[in-house]
Every structure is written in C-alpha cells, then in structure tokens.
Amino acid sequence: MASYQTFTVPRSVTLSTEQMERVEECLDELAMNTGVLNTLLTDSTGQLITLRGRIDKKRAEALAALIAGSHAASAEFIKLLGKEAPFVNLSHEADDYSIYSTNVADVLILSVAFGGEVKIGIVRVFIEQARSKLSEIVHETSSANSDDDSVKIRLVDEDFDHFLDKEFEELTDHKK
Amino acid sequence: MASKQELFEEILNKMNEEGNFDAAVLSLKDGLPLASSRLHDKDDMAAVMVTLLNEAAHKINRELNLSEMDEISIVGDDRTRLVCRYFSVNGSDLLLTVVTPPDRAYRRLTNQTIKEITRVWLS
C-alpha cells in the first residue's frame, strides 16, 4: 500500500516598490543602530532578497541558502520534539565573528553577521525591532494577496513515478 | 555615524569619568550586555552575575510585597559599592550596573545617565 508524506510549500511574498523601500529603510536603520558588518534578508527557501555590507553577492547567496537550511532543520527538530514550529531565532557564535538570524512571519529570514566588539544584547534588541517592522509589511502583502497561503501537497513514496506520469499525461491531454 | 552601542559606551565613559567610577555595564534584564565601560573581558560575566542578583532581589520583593524596585546595592568592607539601577525604555527592561569607589555619591550621576540612555534609545 502506498504511503503518503505531506510537505508544506513555503508561502511566497511579493513586495511592491513602496514596500521594498520600507524594507530597505528598516535594514539601514538596523545596520546603523547595531554596527553589524552584514545584513541579509532572504525568503524562507534561502533566496536572497536584499543585502547590506561588504560581502560578495555570491558568498551572500550561499550563506543565505545555508542559513535557510539551518532554520528548516531547527523547525524539524522542534516538530520531532512534538511541538508546533514556532518563530525561531538562531545564533552561531564564534570568538571573533557571529551570525544571528530570525524568522519573519514564517516567510522571510533576517540575518546579521557581526564582529566580537558588537554586544549580543544590542543585536537581539534591534533585530527584534526590525523583525516587528518587517512582519507588519509582510502582513500587509498577505492581506492584499490572500492566495499566498501555504500550500500543502501530498507525495507518494512508492508510486512517485506513476504519480508524475499521470500528472504529465493529464497536462498534455489538457493542452491538446 | 555611531551605532547605539558606541553611543551608550560614550555615555557610560562620561559617567565614569565624572564620578571616577571603576566600571559600568548596561544590560538587558536577562543578562545580555548592551554596552560596557572599563570592565573589558569581564563585562559579559558581570552582566550575568547581576542577573542572578536581580532574580534574588525580585523574589524578596515579591515575598515581602515591597513596592517596585529602584536599585540594588552591595557594599564591601572597604565601602566600595556595586549599584544596580533598574529602568525601562520602550518596553525593554534594562539594568545599569556601576562599581563606585568608597563613599562616592552616585545617584545624581546614574539618574543623569539613565536619562541620556533613554534619549539615545528613542532617537
């Protein structure tokens, strides 16, 4: 008998030019208040949306994908512990360099990289302020585009090929 | 332009110079440091230790039904004093911890510093 697994496709977010300007302002304010070296805003799949700091774009993209992976892994740890996945902050601390990242309304990830001279308390306070502002912007877009809710799909483990063939056939028939 | 941490540190340094204080730390209620002056590598530890003090003091406060706490002070044999002042800004509970030399006045200077920190926080 075929067994099914349920996957949740992350919700996407579309920002208008005006909203994007507000996002940029919010990130500028965060960088100014904290003195962090780099700020990255990505979606929950790790696609880079915007970047502050001197980091090379390619490295930032790789970093964004890895951070998104860490968030996804943390959400799964929490599920395995029998809890609902809540809002997650992740902190990676090294002697001279640290990364702190936070989940924004389940659709974005805001991350900052900072040197040892920046106090973690400052980062936590001001990233929380930024998260709150960004959440407001995301909620505006969600209410404007109610189709953006997360999509749950079920995939078959054993009959996956058969399932895909059928879907393709239906699609081709429909086109004809 | 200076970060908030740099601005807070300037304020703490100014206070230390004026009062000839030994050290100062600004931290969150849970012990995470925001800025420090003169404590160097011990500032994170000092902020956490003050949090332990804070927890005990709050428990005493609750059990004895005392009014809202304004400060905790520990005075040594030599009259050196560790003062921990409580205040809130914009929903964040903060602690200003200062180490003062024997018999040195500190209330006016710490009040002034709290006002300055609040102004910078809200700017």
Side-chain angles (χ1 to χ4, degrees), chain A residues 29 31-35 117-126 129, chain B residues 1-5 8-9 28 30 32-36 43 90 121:
Chain A
E29 197 182 347
M32 197 180 71
N33 283 336
T34 56
E117 70 287 353
V118 178
K119 305 276 186 219
I120 184 77
I122 285 279
V123 172
R124 207 177 80 169
V125 166
F126 290 102
Q129 261 183 25
Chain B
M1 196 173 164
S3 71
K4 297 273 185 193
Q5 182 185 323
F8 293 148
E9 279 170 353
L28 293 173
D30 57 9
L32 287 178
L34 296 164
S36 62
D43 55 355
N90 215 10
W121 189 288

Side-chain angles (χ1 to χ4, degrees), chain A residues 36-63:
Chain A
V36 294
L37 300 170
N38 298 296
T39 308
L40 276 73
L41 185 69
T42 68
D43 71 6
S44 56
T45 63
Q47 292 287 324
L48 189 61
I49 296 172
T50 185
L51 166 72
R52 289 281 177 291
R54 279 173 294 176
I55 190 171
D56 166 56
K57 197 177 174 218
K58 280 206 165 161
R59 292 179 78 183
E61 280 169 348
L63 189 60

